[in-house]
Amino acid sequence: MERSGIDMVVLAVLLAGLLPVVCAGIAKWGARGYDNRSPREWLSQQSGFRARANAAQQNSFEAFPFFAAGVVFALLAGVEEAKVVSSAWFFLGMRVAYIYAYVTDRAGLRSVVWALGYATVIYLFAVAI
């Protein structure tokens, strides 16, 4: 794999790993009464977009290890660079769309983009095998 291909994959994985922080920021941004001494308790009491952003944060933490492992296994197996790069960026795009759909309460869209992202990770494992 060329250095630029590895760089693009690493960047996609890094950005995917940062998405939970983005979700937390959405949940907390501009909130009155936010308690930084007990942020999880405060978040558990939220509703609306703040609660959905927090749920998206949790799901992003859950999705990340499976994605990162799929990328690593694909790289170790010598999968064609273009497949790994495009899969990593497609997954990242689906995660961004997932967060948008979750925060804006578009449940149908959220399910579709979640499934597409999940299928992308399964694809990475399949091509690694």
Side-chain angles (χ1 to χ4, degrees):
M1 181 177 284
E2 293 179 19
R3 187 70 217 168
S4 63
I6 291 173
D7 292 346
M8 293 302 291
V9 170
V10 170
L11 181 58
V13 172
L14 172 64
L15 292 174
L18 293 173
L19 288 178
V21 176
V22 172
C23 294
I26 293 168
K28 298 172 187 176
W29 184 260
R32 298 188 194 280
Y34 172 70
D35 182 3
N36 198 40
R37 294 181 193 272
S38 186
R40 291 181 186 204
E41 182 180 337
W42 181 85
L43 280 168
S44 72
Q45 298 170 4
Q46 300 310 299
S47 60
F49 85 91
R50 294 187 195 285
R52 291 189 302 274
N54 186 47
Q57 173 190 20
Q58 293 169 347
N59 185 270
S60 295
F61 275 125
E62 295 162 359
F64 181 74
F66 190 46
F67 165 65
V71 168
V72 168
F73 286 132
L75 292 173
L76 290 174
V79 173
E80 184 181 330
E81 174 183 327
K83 289 181 181 180
V84 180
V85 171
S86 62
S87 296
W89 283 92
F90 183 77
F91 175 83
L92 181 62
M94 292 303 96
R95 292 306 304 176
V96 169
Y98 174 85
I99 293 165
Y100 168 78
Y102 213 148
V103 171
T104 60
D105 201 17
R106 291 172 169 83
L109 175 62
R110 185 184 85 223
S111 295
V112 169
V113 296
W114 179 90
L116 289 170
Y118 200 78
T120 303
V121 176
I122 292 170
Y123 170 78
L124 285 168
F125 278 91
V127 295
I129 296 170

